[in-house]
Amino acid sequence: MKPQTIIHNQKRIDLCQEENIFTVTSDSITLVDFINIKKDDQKIIDFGSGIGTIPLLLSTKTNRQIIGFEILEKLVELSNKTIKENQLENQIKIIHDKIQNSDKYFPLNSISLIVSNPPYFKLEEKSLKNPSPAKAIARHELEITFEELVESANKLLKNEGRFLFIHRTERFFELVKTLKKYNLEPKRVQFVHPKRMRNATVFLLEAVKNGRPGLKILPPIIRKD
C-alpha cells in the first residue's frame, strides 16, 4: 500500500493506492479543475472511477452526492477504504459494475452531470497492453469503448445535461463525431500542453445533451513553462 496525500482547494485528501495497480494522475486533477458544478447538479456520476480520485477531488469543490462506477473489485475496495478514511461515506458511493449497466441504477434522463477519465487507446492487434489488468483496462478500451461510454452517458443525462471528459488529442475529431451521433453537442474545449511551445497531448471537453451548436475554445493549459 502506498498512501498519497493531495491538497486540493485547500482541503486534504488521503488516497489509498497501490503502485502496481493504479496511481493518481495529473489528468484526473486537471479534469476536476475543468468541471463547473451548477446548482441543478444534485448528483454527479463518474464513469470509471478507478481508485476514486475524481469523486474524492470533487468532494473538495462541492457537498453534492457523487457516485462512481468501477468494474474492478480491487479498485472498489481501495476507493471505499479511502472514502472511509476521509469520512466521506455520506457523500461518495462507488458502484461495482460495468458502466454499460449504469442505467439499471438511475432512471433514464435523470442526471445533469457525468464526468469521466476514460481509456485513451483503442484495442488493436498491435496494442501493447500493460501486464497489470487494472492499468491495461485504464489505458486501453478492453471493457468499454468511447462510443459505449457516450451511449451510456446519453441514456442517463437529462435534456441539457453535461458530459465532461479528458482524452488524447489525436482522437479529437473522431470523438466529436461520436458525441454528435448521440446528441451531445461540444460546448467547451481546452487543450493541455506538457510544456510551452510543445504540441497539446490531451484535451478537456464539455458536451451538452441536445445543446445548441456553439463551441468555446478556452485558453490552453501549459503544465510546465
Coordinates of all heavy atoms in Angstrom, one line a residue, residues 107-175:
P107 N -32.9 6.3 -13.1 CA -33.9 6.5 -14.2 C -33.2 7.1 -15.4 O -32.3 7.9 -15.3 CB -34.9 7.4 -13.6 CG -34.7 7.3 -12.1 CD -33.3 7.1 -11.9
L108 N -33.7 6.8 -16.6 CA -33.2 7.4 -17.8 C -33.5 8.9 -17.8 O -34.5 9.4 -17.2 CB -33.9 6.8 -19.0 CG -33.7 5.3 -19.2 CD1 -34.4 4.8 -20.5 CD2 -32.2 5.0 -19.4
N109 N -32.6 9.7 -18.4 CA -32.8 11.2 -18.5 C -33.0 11.8 -17.1 O -33.8 12.7 -17.0 CB -34.1 11.5 -19.4 CG -34.0 10.7 -20.7 OD1 -33.1 10.8 -21.4 ND2 -35.1 10.0 -21.0
S110 N -32.2 11.4 -16.1 CA -32.4 12.0 -14.8 C -31.1 12.6 -14.2 O -31.2 13.3 -13.1 CB -32.8 10.8 -13.8 OG -31.7 9.9 -13.7
I111 N -30.0 12.6 -14.9 CA -28.7 13.1 -14.3 C -28.3 14.3 -15.1 O -28.4 14.4 -16.3 CB -27.6 12.0 -14.4 CG1 -28.1 10.7 -13.6 CG2 -26.3 12.5 -13.8 CD1 -28.3 10.9 -12.2
S112 N -27.8 15.3 -14.4 CA -27.4 16.6 -15.0 C -25.9 16.7 -15.3 O -25.5 17.5 -16.1 CB -27.8 17.8 -14.2 OG -27.2 17.7 -12.9
L113 N -25.1 15.8 -14.6 CA -23.6 15.9 -14.8 C -23.0 14.6 -14.7 O -23.1 13.9 -13.7 CB -23.0 16.9 -13.7 CG -21.5 17.1 -13.7 CD1 -21.0 17.6 -15.1 CD2 -21.1 18.0 -12.6
I114 N -22.3 14.2 -15.8 CA -21.5 13.0 -15.8 C -20.0 13.3 -16.2 O -19.8 14.1 -17.1 CB -22.1 11.9 -16.8 CG1 -23.5 11.5 -16.4 CG2 -21.1 10.7 -16.9 CD1 -24.2 10.6 -17.3
V115 N -19.1 12.8 -15.5 CA -17.7 13.0 -15.8 C -16.9 11.7 -16.0 O -17.4 10.7 -15.6 CB -17.0 13.9 -14.7 CG1 -17.7 15.1 -14.5 CG2 -16.9 13.1 -13.4
S116 N -15.8 11.8 -16.7 CA -15.0 10.5 -17.0 C -13.6 10.9 -17.4 O -13.4 11.8 -18.2 CB -15.7 9.7 -18.1 OG -15.0 8.5 -18.2
N117 N -12.7 10.1 -16.9 CA -11.3 10.0 -17.4 C -11.2 8.6 -18.0 O -10.7 7.7 -17.3 CB -10.3 10.2 -16.3 CG -8.9 10.2 -16.8 OD1 -8.6 10.0 -18.0 ND2 -7.9 10.3 -15.9
P118 N -11.6 8.4 -19.3 CA -11.7 7.1 -19.8 C -10.4 6.5 -20.4 O -9.4 7.2 -20.4 CB -12.7 7.3 -21.0 CG -12.4 8.7 -21.5 CD -12.0 9.5 -20.2
P119 N -10.5 5.2 -20.8 CA -9.3 4.7 -21.5 C -9.0 5.5 -22.8 O -9.9 5.8 -23.5 CB -9.7 3.2 -21.9 CG -10.9 2.9 -21.0 CD -11.5 4.2 -20.7
Y120 N -7.7 5.7 -23.1 CA -7.4 6.6 -24.2 C -7.2 5.8 -25.5 O -7.4 6.4 -26.6 CB -6.1 7.3 -23.9 CG -6.2 8.5 -22.8 CD1 -5.1 8.9 -22.2 CD2 -7.4 9.0 -22.5 CE1 -5.1 10.0 -21.3 CE2 -7.5 10.0 -21.6 CZ -6.4 10.5 -21.0 OH -6.5 11.5 -20.1
F121 N -6.8 4.6 -25.4 CA -6.3 3.9 -26.6 C -7.3 2.8 -27.0 O -7.8 2.0 -26.2 CB -4.9 3.3 -26.3 CG -4.0 4.3 -25.9 CD1 -3.6 4.4 -24.6 CD2 -3.4 5.3 -26.8 CE1 -2.7 5.3 -24.1 CE2 -2.5 6.2 -26.4 CZ -2.2 6.3 -25.0
K122 N -7.5 2.7 -28.4 CA -8.3 1.6 -28.9 C -7.5 0.3 -28.8 O -6.3 0.3 -28.7 CB -8.6 1.8 -30.4 CG -9.5 3.0 -30.7 CD -9.8 3.1 -32.2 CE -10.8 4.2 -32.5 NZ -11.1 4.2 -33.9
L123 N -8.3 -0.8 -28.7 CA -7.6 -2.1 -28.6 C -7.4 -2.7 -30.0 O -8.4 -2.9 -30.8 CB -8.5 -3.1 -27.8 CG -7.9 -4.5 -27.6 CD1 -6.6 -4.4 -26.8 CD2 -8.9 -5.4 -26.9
E124 N -6.2 -2.8 -30.4 CA -5.8 -3.3 -31.7 C -4.8 -4.5 -31.6 O -4.3 -4.7 -30.5 CB -5.2 -2.2 -32.6 CG -6.2 -1.0 -32.8 CD -5.5 0.2 -33.4 OE1 -4.2 0.2 -33.5 OE2 -6.2 1.1 -33.9
E125 N -4.6 -5.2 -32.7 CA -3.7 -6.3 -32.6 C -2.3 -6.0 -32.2 O -1.7 -6.7 -31.5 CB -3.7 -7.0 -34.0 CG -4.9 -7.9 -34.3 CD -4.6 -8.7 -35.6 OE1 -3.5 -9.0 -35.9 OE2 -5.6 -9.0 -36.3
K126 N -1.9 -4.8 -32.6 CA -0.5 -4.4 -32.3 C -0.4 -3.6 -30.9 O 0.6 -3.2 -30.5 CB 0.0 -3.5 -33.4 CG -0.8 -2.2 -33.6 CD -0.3 -1.4 -34.7 CE -1.1 -0.1 -34.9 NZ -0.6 0.7 -36.1
S127 N -1.6 -3.5 -30.2 CA -1.6 -2.8 -29.0 C -0.7 -3.5 -27.9 O -0.8 -4.7 -27.7 CB -3.0 -2.7 -28.4 OG -3.8 -2.0 -29.2
L128 N 0.2 -2.7 -27.2 CA 1.0 -3.3 -26.2 C 0.3 -3.0 -24.9 O 0.3 -1.9 -24.4 CB 2.4 -2.6 -26.2 CG 3.2 -2.9 -27.4 CD1 4.5 -2.0 -27.4 CD2 3.6 -4.3 -27.5
K129 N -0.3 -4.0 -24.3 CA -1.1 -3.9 -23.1 C -0.2 -4.0 -21.9 O 0.7 -4.9 -21.8 CB -2.3 -4.9 -23.1 CG -3.3 -4.7 -24.2 CD -4.5 -5.6 -24.0 CE -4.1 -7.1 -24.1 NZ -3.7 -7.5 -25.5
N130 N -0.5 -3.2 -20.8 CA 0.2 -3.3 -19.6 C -0.1 -4.7 -18.9 O -1.2 -5.1 -18.9 CB -0.2 -2.2 -18.7 CG 0.7 -2.0 -17.5 OD1 0.8 -2.8 -16.6 ND2 1.4 -0.9 -17.5
P131 N 0.9 -5.3 -18.3 CA 0.7 -6.6 -17.7 C -0.3 -6.5 -16.5 O -0.9 -7.5 -16.1 CB 2.1 -7.1 -17.3 CG 2.9 -5.8 -17.3 CD 2.3 -4.9 -18.3
S132 N -0.4 -5.3 -15.9 CA -1.3 -5.1 -14.8 C -2.7 -5.0 -15.4 O -3.0 -4.1 -16.2 CB -1.0 -3.9 -14.0 OG -2.1 -3.4 -13.2
P133 N -3.7 -5.9 -15.0 CA -5.0 -5.8 -15.5 C -5.7 -4.4 -15.3 O -6.3 -3.9 -16.1 CB -5.8 -6.9 -14.8 CG -4.7 -7.9 -14.4 CD -3.5 -7.0 -14.1
A134 N -5.4 -3.8 -14.1 CA -6.0 -2.5 -13.8 C -5.5 -1.4 -14.7 O -6.3 -0.6 -15.2 CB -5.7 -2.2 -12.3
K135 N -4.2 -1.4 -14.9 CA -3.6 -0.4 -15.8 C -4.0 -0.6 -17.2 O -4.2 0.3 -18.0 CB -2.1 -0.4 -15.6 CG -1.6 0.2 -14.3 CD -0.1 0.2 -14.2 CE 0.3 0.8 -12.9 NZ 1.8 0.9 -12.7
A136 N -4.1 -1.9 -17.6 CA -4.5 -2.2 -19.0 C -5.9 -1.7 -19.3 O -6.2 -1.1 -20.3 CB -4.4 -3.7 -19.3
I137 N -6.8 -2.0 -18.4 CA -8.2 -1.5 -18.5 C -8.3 0.0 -18.5 O -9.1 0.6 -19.2 CB -9.1 -2.2 -17.4 CG1 -9.2 -3.7 -17.7 CG2 -10.4 -1.5 -17.3 CD1 -9.9 -4.4 -16.6
A138 N -7.4 0.6 -17.7 CA -7.5 2.1 -17.6 C -7.0 2.7 -18.9 O -7.4 3.8 -19.2 CB -6.6 2.6 -16.4
R139 N -6.0 2.1 -19.6 CA -5.4 2.7 -20.7 C -6.0 2.3 -22.1 O -6.0 3.1 -23.0 CB -3.9 2.4 -20.7 CG -3.2 3.0 -19.5 CD -1.8 2.5 -19.4 NE -1.1 3.1 -18.2 CZ 0.1 2.8 -17.8 NH1 0.8 1.9 -18.5 NH2 0.6 3.3 -16.7
H140 N -6.5 1.0 -22.2 CA -7.0 0.5 -23.4 C -8.5 0.2 -23.3 O -9.0 -0.1 -22.2 CB -6.2 -0.7 -23.9 CG -4.9 -0.5 -24.4 ND1 -3.8 -0.4 -23.7 CD2 -4.5 -0.2 -25.7 CE1 -2.7 -0.1 -24.4 NE2 -3.1 0.0 -25.7
E141 N -9.2 0.3 -24.4 CA -10.6 0.1 -24.4 C -11.0 -1.4 -24.4 O -11.6 -2.0 -25.2 CB -11.3 0.7 -25.6 CG -11.1 2.2 -25.6 CD -11.7 2.9 -26.8 OE1 -11.9 2.2 -27.9 OE2 -12.0 4.1 -26.8
L142 N -10.5 -2.1 -23.3 CA -10.8 -3.5 -23.1 C -12.2 -3.8 -22.6 O -12.8 -4.8 -23.0 CB -9.8 -4.1 -22.0 CG -8.3 -4.1 -22.5 CD1 -7.4 -4.3 -21.3 CD2 -8.1 -5.2 -23.5
E143 N -12.7 -3.0 -21.7 CA -14.0 -3.2 -21.1 C -15.1 -2.3 -21.7 O -16.3 -2.6 -21.6 CB -13.9 -3.0 -19.6 CG -13.1 -4.1 -18.9 CD -13.7 -5.5 -18.9 OE1 -14.9 -5.6 -19.2 OE2 -12.9 -6.4 -18.7
I144 N -14.7 -1.2 -22.2 CA -15.7 -0.2 -22.8 C -15.0 0.6 -23.9 O -13.9 1.1 -23.7 CB -16.3 0.7 -21.7 CG1 -17.5 1.5 -22.2 CG2 -15.2 1.6 -21.0 CD1 -18.3 2.1 -21.1
T145 N -15.7 0.8 -25.0 CA -15.2 1.8 -26.0 C -15.7 3.2 -25.7 O -16.7 3.4 -24.9 CB -15.7 1.3 -27.4 OG1 -17.2 1.4 -27.4 CG2 -15.3 -0.1 -27.7
F146 N -15.2 4.1 -26.4 CA -15.6 5.5 -26.2 C -17.1 5.6 -26.6 O -17.9 6.3 -26.0 CB -14.8 6.5 -26.9 CG -15.2 7.9 -26.7 CD1 -14.8 8.5 -25.5 CD2 -15.9 8.7 -27.6 CE1 -15.2 9.9 -25.2 CE2 -16.3 10.0 -27.3 CZ -15.9 10.6 -26.1
E147 N -17.5 5.0 -27.7 CA -18.9 5.0 -28.1 C -19.8 4.5 -27.1 O -20.9 5.0 -26.8 CB -19.1 4.3 -29.5 CG -20.5 4.4 -30.0 CD -20.7 4.1 -31.4 OE1 -19.7 3.9 -32.1 OE2 -21.8 4.1 -31.9
E148 N -19.4 3.4 -26.5 CA -20.3 2.8 -25.4 C -20.4 3.7 -24.2 O -21.4 3.8 -23.6 CB -19.7 1.4 -25.0 CG -19.9 0.3 -26.0 CD -19.2 -1.0 -25.7 OE1 -18.1 -0.9 -25.1 OE2 -19.7 -2.0 -26.0
L149 N -19.3 4.4 -23.9 CA -19.3 5.4 -22.8 C -20.3 6.5 -23.1 O -21.1 6.9 -22.3 CB -17.9 5.9 -22.7 CG -17.6 6.9 -21.5 CD1 -17.5 6.1 -20.2 CD2 -16.4 7.7 -21.8
V150 N -20.2 7.0 -24.3 CA -21.1 8.1 -24.7 C -22.6 7.7 -24.8 O -23.5 8.4 -24.4 CB -20.7 8.7 -26.1 CG1 -21.7 9.7 -26.6 CG2 -19.3 9.3 -26.0
E151 N -22.8 6.5 -25.3 CA -24.1 5.9 -25.3 C -24.7 5.8 -23.9 O -25.9 6.1 -23.6 CB -24.1 4.6 -26.0 CG -25.5 3.9 -26.1 CD -25.5 2.6 -26.8 OE1 -24.4 2.0 -27.0 OE2 -26.6 2.1 -27.2
S152 N -23.9 5.4 -22.9 CA -24.3 5.3 -21.5 C -24.6 6.6 -21.0 O -25.6 6.8 -20.2 CB -23.3 4.5 -20.7 OG -23.1 3.2 -21.1
A153 N -23.8 7.6 -21.3 CA -24.0 9.0 -20.8 C -25.3 9.5 -21.4 O -26.1 10.2 -20.6 CB -22.8 9.9 -21.2
N154 N -25.5 9.3 -22.6 CA -26.7 9.8 -23.3 C -28.0 9.2 -22.6 O -29.0 9.9 -22.4 CB -26.7 9.4 -24.8 CG -28.0 9.8 -25.5 OD1 -28.9 9.0 -25.6 ND2 -28.1 11.0 -26.0
K155 N -28.0 8.0 -22.2 CA -29.1 7.4 -21.6 C -29.5 8.0 -20.2 O -30.6 8.3 -19.9 CB -28.9 5.9 -21.3 CG -28.9 5.0 -22.6 CD -28.6 3.6 -22.3 CE -28.6 2.7 -23.5 NZ -28.3 1.3 -23.2
L156 N -28.4 8.4 -19.5 CA -28.7 8.9 -18.1 C -28.9 10.4 -18.1 O -29.7 10.9 -17.2 CB -27.5 8.6 -17.2 CG -27.3 7.1 -16.8 CD1 -26.2 7.0 -15.7 CD2 -28.6 6.5 -16.2
L157 N -28.3 11.1 -19.0 CA -28.4 12.6 -19.0 C -29.8 13.1 -19.3 O -30.4 12.6 -20.2 CB -27.4 13.2 -19.9 CG -25.9 13.2 -19.5 CD1 -25.0 13.6 -20.6 CD2 -25.7 14.0 -18.3
K158 N -30.2 14.1 -18.5 CA -31.4 14.8 -18.8 C -31.2 15.8 -19.9 O -30.0 16.0 -20.3 CB -32.0 15.5 -17.6 CG -31.0 16.5 -17.0 CD -31.6 17.3 -15.8 CE -31.9 16.4 -14.6 NZ -32.3 17.2 -13.4
N159 N -32.2 16.3 -20.5 CA -32.1 17.3 -21.5 C -31.2 18.5 -21.0 O -31.4 19.0 -19.9 CB -33.4 17.9 -21.9 CG -33.4 18.7 -23.2 OD1 -32.7 18.4 -24.2 ND2 -34.0 19.9 -23.1
E160 N -30.2 18.9 -21.8 CA -29.2 19.9 -21.4 C -28.3 19.4 -20.3 O -27.6 20.3 -19.7 CB -29.9 21.2 -21.1 CG -30.6 21.8 -22.3 CD -31.1 23.2 -22.0 OE1 -31.1 23.7 -20.8 OE2 -31.5 23.9 -23.0
G161 N -28.3 18.1 -20.0 CA -27.3 17.6 -19.0 C -25.9 17.6 -19.7 O -25.8 17.7 -20.9
R162 N -24.8 17.6 -18.9 CA -23.5 17.8 -19.4 C -22.6 16.5 -19.1 O -22.7 15.9 -18.1 CB -22.9 19.0 -18.6 CG -23.6 20.3 -19.0 CD -23.1 21.4 -18.0 NE -23.6 21.2 -16.7 CZ -22.8 21.2 -15.6 NH1 -21.6 21.6 -15.7 NH2 -23.4 21.0 -14.4
F163 N -21.8 16.3 -20.2 CA -20.8 15.2 -20.1 C -19.4 15.8 -20.3 O -19.1 16.5 -21.3 CB -21.1 14.2 -21.2 CG -20.1 13.1 -21.3 CD1 -19.7 12.4 -20.2 CD2 -19.5 12.7 -22.5 CE1 -18.8 11.3 -20.2 CE2 -18.6 11.7 -22.6 CZ -18.2 11.0 -21.5
L164 N -18.5 15.6 -19.3 CA -17.2 16.2 -19.3 C -16.2 15.1 -19.2 O -16.3 14.2 -18.4 CB -17.0 17.2 -18.2 CG -17.8 18.5 -18.2 CD1 -19.1 18.4 -17.6 CD2 -17.0 19.7 -17.6
F165 N -15.1 15.2 -20.0 CA -14.1 14.2 -20.0 C -12.8 14.8 -20.5 O -12.7 15.9 -21.0 CB -14.5 13.0 -20.9 CG -14.7 13.4 -22.4 CD1 -13.6 13.2 -23.3 CD2 -15.8 13.9 -22.9 CE1 -13.7 13.5 -24.6 CE2 -16.0 14.2 -24.3 CZ -14.9 14.0 -25.1
I166 N -11.7 13.9 -20.4 CA -10.4 14.3 -20.9 C -10.0 13.1 -21.8 O -10.3 12.0 -21.6 CB -9.4 14.5 -19.7 CG1 -8.0 15.0 -20.2 CG2 -9.3 13.2 -18.9 CD1 -7.1 15.5 -19.1
H167 N -9.2 13.5 -22.9 CA -8.8 12.4 -23.8 C -7.6 12.9 -24.6 O -7.2 14.0 -24.5 CB -10.0 12.1 -24.7 CG -10.1 10.6 -25.0 ND1 -9.1 10.0 -25.8 CD2 -11.0 9.7 -24.7 CE1 -9.5 8.7 -25.9 NE2 -10.6 8.5 -25.2
R168 N -7.1 12.0 -25.4 CA -5.9 12.3 -26.3 C -6.3 13.1 -27.5 O -7.3 12.9 -28.1 CB -5.3 11.0 -26.8 CG -4.8 10.1 -25.6 CD -3.5 10.5 -25.1 NE -2.4 10.5 -26.1 CZ -1.1 10.8 -25.9 NH1 -0.8 11.1 -24.6 NH2 -0.2 10.7 -26.8
T169 N -5.4 14.0 -27.8 CA -5.7 15.0 -28.9 C -5.8 14.3 -30.3 O -6.6 14.7 -31.1 CB -4.6 16.1 -29.0 OG1 -3.3 15.4 -29.1 CG2 -4.7 17.0 -27.9
E170 N -5.1 13.2 -30.5 CA -5.1 12.5 -31.8 C -6.5 11.9 -32.1 O -6.8 11.6 -33.3 CB -4.0 11.4 -31.9 CG -4.1 10.3 -30.9 CD -3.1 10.5 -29.7 OE1 -2.9 11.7 -29.4 OE2 -2.7 9.5 -29.2
R171 N -7.3 11.8 -31.1 CA -8.7 11.2 -31.4 C -9.8 12.3 -31.3 O -10.9 12.0 -31.3 CB -9.0 10.1 -30.3 CG -8.0 8.9 -30.4 CD -8.4 7.8 -29.5 NE -9.7 7.2 -29.9 CZ -10.3 6.3 -29.2 NH1 -9.8 5.8 -28.1 NH2 -11.5 5.8 -29.6
F172 N -9.4 13.6 -31.3 CA -10.3 14.6 -31.1 C -11.5 14.6 -32.1 O -12.6 14.6 -31.7 CB -9.6 16.0 -31.3 CG -10.5 17.2 -31.1 CD1 -10.9 17.6 -29.8 CD2 -11.0 17.9 -32.2 CE1 -11.7 18.7 -29.7 CE2 -11.8 19.0 -32.0 CZ -12.2 19.4 -30.8
F173 N -11.2 14.6 -33.4 CA -12.3 14.7 -34.4 C -13.2 13.4 -34.4 O -14.4 13.5 -34.5 CB -11.8 14.9 -35.8 CG -11.3 16.3 -35.9 CD1 -9.9 16.6 -36.0 CD2 -12.1 17.4 -36.0 CE1 -9.4 17.9 -36.1 CE2 -11.7 18.7 -36.1 CZ -10.3 19.0 -36.2
E174 N -12.6 12.3 -34.2 CA -13.3 11.0 -34.0 C -14.3 11.1 -32.9 O -15.5 10.7 -33.0 CB -12.3 9.8 -33.8 CG -13.0 8.5 -33.5 CD -12.1 7.6 -32.7 OE1 -10.9 7.9 -32.6 OE2 -12.6 6.7 -32.0
L175 N -13.8 11.6 -31.7 CA -14.6 11.6 -30.5 C -15.8 12.6 -30.7 O -16.9 12.4 -30.2 CB -13.8 11.9 -29.3 CG -12.6 10.9 -29.1 CD1 -12.0 11.2 -27.7 CD2 -13.0 9.5 -29.2

